[in-house]
Amino acid sequence: MDPIAFQRTPDACFEGLPGHPWAPRYLSDLPALRGLRLHHLDEGPRDAPVTWLCLHGNPTWSYVYRRMVPVFLAAGHRVVAPDLPGFGRSDKPVDVAQHSFGWHRQVLLEFVQRLDLQRVRLVVQDWGGLLGLTLPMEAPGRYEGLLVMNTFLATAEEPLPEGFRQWRAMCRSRPDFGIGRLLARGNPHLTAAECAAYDAPFPDLGFRAATRAFPEMVPEHPQADGVAVSRAAARFWAEAWTGRSMMAVGLQDPVFSPEVMEALRGRIRGCPPPMRLPEAGHFVQERGEVVAVEALRALG
């Protein structure tokens, strides 16, 4: 197959990231990547008793987990957090059409297999959940726990949440919206440097095919890419899942409300009542220290 045309964010854009001391790691030998370079964090012992696989959403990157990673590492665990293609330090396809539910899912499946991740606690939010919740059914023996934050399963069985529809409309009208400003609105405790870290992967609009593509990728109709695997995943979580689960809900999220999250909890076999975070919005990880501490208790 032909190589994928891409942009690569200069390393200088990532200098001095606050609260993020970890060295970047890259791989480019996944078949689905067709030569693209994928960035990931991989910290802690390779033979740790627990591996936390942390999947980010749109428009963030693995930086969003910086408040949770130290808690997991202090417990002697391993933490793996990839940047989806088009985000963070990973290469960024320039063609919006390159981004699809099926392609990004395949990249993640190959990534998990390539690193041979075992004893996994899956940590998901936003698109990390839309994609990540479809992974364990392919290799149930790898996964022992689930920490799910504001997200949902894209089964196209009911209309998309109104909050998401408003988000998608905003992305259509303002494809160059400020990502750092977006994070700051829901997280006033962020410093200017932390907000800049969210803008760092995208020096100009030419790097932002993924942030334009992802709102349109959410499956809305039964025939849409991703619906069949999402429905299969829903059956897996309801009927076959035997691991431990935890849900943490940002109550200020305008996209995935507490009601949307409660509906998702009802799909996950054995998932207890959620940890409710009154001050957290969509990006729950920005209140992540307390979530990680509770996850260690509930899942570790």
Side-chain angles (χ1 to χ4, degrees), residues 106-150:
Q106 184 62 30
V107 169
L108 288 174
L109 287 170
E110 293 176 6
F111 176 79
V112 170
Q113 184 174 22
R114 170 70 168 75
L115 296 186
D116 192 25
L117 300 182
Q118 304 289 342
R119 301 175 296 279
V120 173
R121 274 59 168 170
L122 178 64
V123 184
V124 300
Q125 181 265 338
D126 190 76
W127 265 99
L130 272 77
L131 294 167
L133 289 172
T134 73
L135 304 181
M137 65 181 181
E138 304 293 350
R142 295 185 185 273
Y143 296 86
E144 297 179 351
L146 170 69
L147 168 54
V148 58
M149 297 170 283
N150 293 41

Side-chain angles (χ1 to χ4, degrees), residues 3-63:
I4 299 170
F6 67 91
Q7 296 262 44
R8 179 171 293 172
T9 305
D11 289 341
C13 293
F14 299 102
E15 292 179 358
L17 295 171
H20 193 277
W22 305 291
R25 300 175 187 270
Y26 300 97
L27 54 79
S28 58
D29 58 352
L30 304 182
L33 289 176
R34 288 157 52 193
L36 293 182
R37 193 174 72 167
L38 187 82
H39 168 260
H40 61 287
L41 298 181
D42 190 348
E43 298 293 326
R46 298 299 175 270
D47 60 350
V50 170
T51 294
W52 299 86
L53 174 59
C54 303
L55 303 181
H56 73 85
N58 174 44
T60 63
W61 56 295
S62 56
Y63 182 77

